[in-house]
PDB file of all heavy atoms in Angstrom:
ATOM      1  N   LYS A 340       0.145   0.449   8.928  1.00 95.00           N
ATOM      2  CA  LYS A 340      -0.108  -0.784   9.593  1.00 95.00           C
ATOM      3  C   LYS A 340       1.026  -1.214  10.538  1.00 95.00           C
ATOM      4  O   LYS A 340       0.798  -1.784  11.590  1.00 95.00           O
ATOM      5  CB  LYS A 340      -0.371  -1.863   8.571  1.00 95.00           C
ATOM      6  CG  LYS A 340      -1.633  -1.809   7.799  1.00 95.00           C
ATOM      7  CD  LYS A 340      -1.908  -2.922   6.864  1.00 95.00           C
ATOM      8  CE  LYS A 340      -2.094  -4.317   7.554  1.00 95.00           C
ATOM      9  NZ  LYS A 340      -2.463  -5.394   6.576  1.00 95.00           N
ATOM     10  N   TYR A 341       2.278  -1.030  10.061  1.00 96.00           N
ATOM     11  CA  TYR A 341       3.352  -1.614  10.841  1.00 96.00           C
ATOM     12  C   TYR A 341       4.439  -0.600  11.267  1.00 96.00           C
ATOM     13  O   TYR A 341       5.316  -0.953  12.116  1.00 96.00           O
ATOM     14  CB  TYR A 341       4.065  -2.674   9.886  1.00 96.00           C
ATOM     15  CG  TYR A 341       3.154  -3.738   9.582  1.00 96.00           C
ATOM     16  CD1 TYR A 341       2.712  -3.883   8.171  1.00 96.00           C
ATOM     17  CD2 TYR A 341       2.791  -4.761  10.442  1.00 96.00           C
ATOM     18  CE1 TYR A 341       1.875  -4.957   7.799  1.00 96.00           C
ATOM     19  CE2 TYR A 341       1.883  -5.733  10.174  1.00 96.00           C
ATOM     20  CZ  TYR A 341       1.511  -5.861   8.707  1.00 96.00           C
ATOM     21  OH  TYR A 341       0.611  -6.845   8.400  1.00 96.00           O
ATOM     22  N   TYR A 342       4.493   0.626  10.745  1.00 95.00           N
ATOM     23  CA  TYR A 342       5.536   1.582  11.008  1.00 95.00           C
ATOM     24  C   TYR A 342       4.856   2.995  11.201  1.00 95.00           C
ATOM     25  O   TYR A 342       5.299   3.938  10.701  1.00 95.00           O
ATOM     26  CB  TYR A 342       6.442   1.624   9.799  1.00 95.00           C
ATOM     27  CG  TYR A 342       7.031   0.269   9.366  1.00 95.00           C
ATOM     28  CD1 TYR A 342       6.536  -0.403   8.311  1.00 95.00           C
ATOM     29  CD2 TYR A 342       8.127  -0.234  10.068  1.00 95.00           C
ATOM     30  CE1 TYR A 342       7.036  -1.584   7.942  1.00 95.00           C
ATOM     31  CE2 TYR A 342       8.703  -1.464   9.673  1.00 95.00           C
ATOM     32  CZ  TYR A 342       8.117  -2.142   8.632  1.00 95.00           C
ATOM     33  OH  TYR A 342       8.738  -3.415   8.280  1.00 95.00           O
ATOM     34  N   ARG A 343       4.019   3.112  12.120  1.00 95.00           N
ATOM     35  CA  ARG A 343       3.260   4.399  12.337  1.00 95.00           C
ATOM     36  C   ARG A 343       4.154   5.450  12.767  1.00 95.00           C
ATOM     37  O   ARG A 343       3.919   6.692  12.383  1.00 95.00           O
ATOM     38  CB  ARG A 343       2.061   4.210  13.266  1.00 95.00           C
ATOM     39  CG  ARG A 343       1.060   3.245  12.809  1.00 95.00           C
ATOM     40  CD  ARG A 343      -0.247   3.371  13.648  1.00 95.00           C
ATOM     41  NE  ARG A 343      -0.856   4.685  13.549  1.00 95.00           N
ATOM     42  CZ  ARG A 343      -1.684   4.974  12.713  1.00 95.00           C
ATOM     43  NH1 ARG A 343      -2.032   4.256  11.709  1.00 95.00           N
ATOM     44  NH2 ARG A 343      -2.219   6.290  12.666  1.00 95.00           N
ATOM     45  N   LYS A 344       5.299   5.206  13.443  1.00 95.00           N
ATOM     46  CA  LYS A 344       6.073   6.265  13.863  1.00 95.00           C
ATOM     47  C   LYS A 344       6.797   6.988  12.632  1.00 95.00           C
ATOM     48  O   LYS A 344       7.410   8.042  12.820  1.00 95.00           O
ATOM     49  CB  LYS A 344       7.176   5.801  14.792  1.00 95.00           C
ATOM     50  CG  LYS A 344       8.190   4.882  14.262  1.00 95.00           C
ATOM     51  CD  LYS A 344       9.179   4.399  15.281  1.00 95.00           C
ATOM     52  CE  LYS A 344      10.231   3.499  14.689  1.00 95.00           C
ATOM     53  NZ  LYS A 344      11.206   3.060  15.794  1.00 95.00           N
ATOM     54  N   TYR A 345       6.740   6.384  11.460  1.00 95.00           N
ATOM     55  CA  TYR A 345       7.369   6.983  10.263  1.00 95.00           C
ATOM     56  C   TYR A 345       6.321   7.621   9.304  1.00 95.00           C
ATOM     57  O   TYR A 345       6.711   8.004   8.271  1.00 95.00           O
ATOM     58  CB  TYR A 345       8.166   5.891   9.446  1.00 95.00           C
ATOM     59  CG  TYR A 345       9.282   5.282  10.180  1.00 95.00           C
ATOM     60  CD1 TYR A 345       9.378   3.961  10.655  1.00 95.00           C
ATOM     61  CD2 TYR A 345      10.450   6.055  10.413  1.00 95.00           C
ATOM     62  CE1 TYR A 345      10.400   3.408  11.313  1.00 95.00           C
ATOM     63  CE2 TYR A 345      11.558   5.537  11.138  1.00 95.00           C
ATOM     64  CZ  TYR A 345      11.511   4.239  11.592  1.00 95.00           C
ATOM     65  OH  TYR A 345      12.559   3.707  12.269  1.00 95.00           O
ATOM     66  N   LEU A 346       5.045   7.684   9.776  1.00 93.00           N
ATOM     67  CA  LEU A 346       4.041   8.281   8.955  1.00 93.00           C
ATOM     68  C   LEU A 346       4.396   9.693   8.482  1.00 93.00           C
ATOM     69  O   LEU A 346       4.269   9.964   7.343  1.00 93.00           O
ATOM     70  CB  LEU A 346       2.768   8.311   9.631  1.00 93.00           C
ATOM     71  CG  LEU A 346       1.849   7.050   9.456  1.00 93.00           C
ATOM     72  CD1 LEU A 346       0.603   7.120  10.361  1.00 93.00           C
ATOM     73  CD2 LEU A 346       1.387   6.885   8.070  1.00 93.00           C
ATOM     74  N   LEU A 347       4.851  10.632   9.389  1.00 94.00           N
ATOM     75  CA  LEU A 347       5.197  11.948   8.978  1.00 94.00           C
ATOM     76  C   LEU A 347       6.285  12.024   7.822  1.00 94.00           C
ATOM     77  O   LEU A 347       5.978  12.647   6.803  1.00 94.00           O
ATOM     78  CB  LEU A 347       5.638  12.758  10.172  1.00 94.00           C
ATOM     79  CG  LEU A 347       5.944  14.278   9.811  1.00 94.00           C
ATOM     80  CD1 LEU A 347       4.711  14.958   9.208  1.00 94.00           C
ATOM     81  CD2 LEU A 347       6.430  14.944  11.153  1.00 94.00           C
ATOM     82  N   PRO A 348       7.359  11.368   7.912  1.00 94.00           N
ATOM     83  CA  PRO A 348       8.372  11.431   6.956  1.00 94.00           C
ATOM     84  C   PRO A 348       7.879  10.827   5.641  1.00 94.00           C
ATOM     85  O   PRO A 348       8.252  11.245   4.499  1.00 94.00           O
ATOM     86  CB  PRO A 348       9.640  10.674   7.488  1.00 94.00           C
ATOM     87  CG  PRO A 348       9.175   9.888   8.611  1.00 94.00           C
ATOM     88  CD  PRO A 348       8.023  10.709   9.190  1.00 94.00           C
ATOM     89  N   VAL A 349       7.012   9.771   5.691  1.00 92.00           N
ATOM     90  CA  VAL A 349       6.413   9.210   4.554  1.00 92.00           C
ATOM     91  C   VAL A 349       5.535  10.182   3.843  1.00 92.00           C
ATOM     92  O   VAL A 349       5.544  10.311   2.524  1.00 92.00           O
ATOM     93  CB  VAL A 349       5.798   7.852   4.802  1.00 92.00           C
ATOM     94  CG1 VAL A 349       5.053   7.372   3.627  1.00 92.00           C
ATOM     95  CG2 VAL A 349       6.819   6.811   5.301  1.00 92.00           C
ATOM     96  N   TYR A 350       4.775  10.811   4.677  1.00 91.00           N
ATOM     97  CA  TYR A 350       3.805  11.942   4.103  1.00 91.00           C
ATOM     98  C   TYR A 350       4.721  12.886   3.330  1.00 91.00           C
ATOM     99  O   TYR A 350       4.393  13.284   2.212  1.00 91.00           O
ATOM    100  CB  TYR A 350       3.030  12.563   5.121  1.00 91.00           C
ATOM    101  CG  TYR A 350       1.874  11.803   5.731  1.00 91.00           C
ATOM    102  CD1 TYR A 350       1.535  12.029   7.039  1.00 91.00           C
ATOM    103  CD2 TYR A 350       1.183  10.784   4.967  1.00 91.00           C
ATOM    104  CE1 TYR A 350       0.363  11.299   7.544  1.00 91.00           C
ATOM    105  CE2 TYR A 350       0.229  10.124   5.514  1.00 91.00           C
ATOM    106  CZ  TYR A 350      -0.233  10.324   6.852  1.00 91.00           C
ATOM    107  OH  TYR A 350      -1.277   9.672   7.401  1.00 91.00           O
ATOM    108  N   LEU A 351       5.733  13.388   4.071  1.00 91.00           N
ATOM    109  CA  LEU A 351       6.627  14.453   3.465  1.00 91.00           C
ATOM    110  C   LEU A 351       7.257  13.933   2.205  1.00 91.00           C
ATOM    111  O   LEU A 351       7.609  14.706   1.323  1.00 91.00           O
ATOM    112  CB  LEU A 351       7.619  14.835   4.418  1.00 91.00           C
ATOM    113  CG  LEU A 351       7.063  15.640   5.656  1.00 91.00           C
ATOM    114  CD1 LEU A 351       8.285  15.930   6.603  1.00 91.00           C
ATOM    115  CD2 LEU A 351       6.366  16.913   5.189  1.00 91.00           C
ATOM    116  N   SER A 352       7.638  12.626   2.030  1.00 88.00           N
ATOM    117  CA  SER A 352       8.244  12.068   0.884  1.00 88.00           C
ATOM    118  C   SER A 352       7.394  12.276  -0.345  1.00 88.00           C
ATOM    119  O   SER A 352       7.885  12.192  -1.555  1.00 88.00           O
ATOM    120  CB  SER A 352       8.570  10.610   1.152  1.00 88.00           C
ATOM    121  OG  SER A 352       7.398   9.818   1.031  1.00 88.00           O
TER     122      SER A 352
END
Side-chain angles (χ1 to χ4, degrees):
K340 288 183 72 172
Y341 300 108
Y342 305 97
R343 294 192 66 83
K344 68 180 181 180
Y345 295 112
L346 270 174
L347 180 59
V349 172
Y350 286 153
L351 295 175
S352 73

